[in-house]
Amino acid sequence: ERNFYKYINGQLDKGPVFLYVNSKYLNMHKFSLFKLRMPTHFIVLYNIYKVGDDVVLQYWDYGIKTEQLFTNKKLRKLIFGVTTVLVN
């Protein structure tokens, strides 16, 4: 099984990390007819850590720093791509 937490945490050590996500999974809405399985925008991740079996992402999105708790299942649905900017 893919371990998103371990991979992304390792990428944070190398430099800034951008996650390509679907905003419907990032900000759950009560009333939604359907959810397209495609990325809608990116967020800048600045920290990730575990709380029990869940994962907490601390990220910057549209000028606001946010902290959000995700289950592993929701994290797999949320992330469509990871880009790391390598810093020397």
Side-chain angles (χ1 to χ4, degrees):
E1 183 177 317
R2 294 175 283 182
N3 189 338
F4 285 116
Y5 170 77
K6 186 176 178 182
Y7 176 75
I8 294 170
N9 199 28
Q11 295 301 306
L12 275 173
D13 292 337
K14 297 176 184 177
V17 173
F18 297 86
L19 299 179
Y20 292 90
V21 299
N22 184 318
S23 63
K24 294 290 183 186
Y25 292 102
L26 190 62
N27 304 310
M28 299 302 281
H29 301 285
K30 220 178 202 183
F31 304 105
S32 174
L33 294 176
F34 59 93
K35 294 177 185 163
L36 294 175
R37 294 280 302 146
M38 57 187 272
T40 56
H41 70 287
F42 71 91
I43 58 176
V44 180
L45 185 70
Y46 63 89
N47 196 12
I48 185 171
Y49 61 91
K50 290 193 108 170
V51 175
D53 290 335
D54 296 333
V55 176
V56 175
L57 298 180
Q58 293 178 329
Y59 59 91
W60 180 85
D61 184 26
Y62 293 114
I64 299 172
K65 286 188 173 182
T66 306
E67 180 175 274
Q68 196 167 353
L69 180 73
F70 294 97
T71 63
N72 286 321
K73 184 177 179 180
K74 282 188 181 181
L75 191 64
R76 283 194 303 272
K77 287 183 178 182
L78 171 73
I79 299 173
F80 287 85
V82 178
T83 301
T84 305
V85 179
L86 299 177
V87 178
N88 290 334

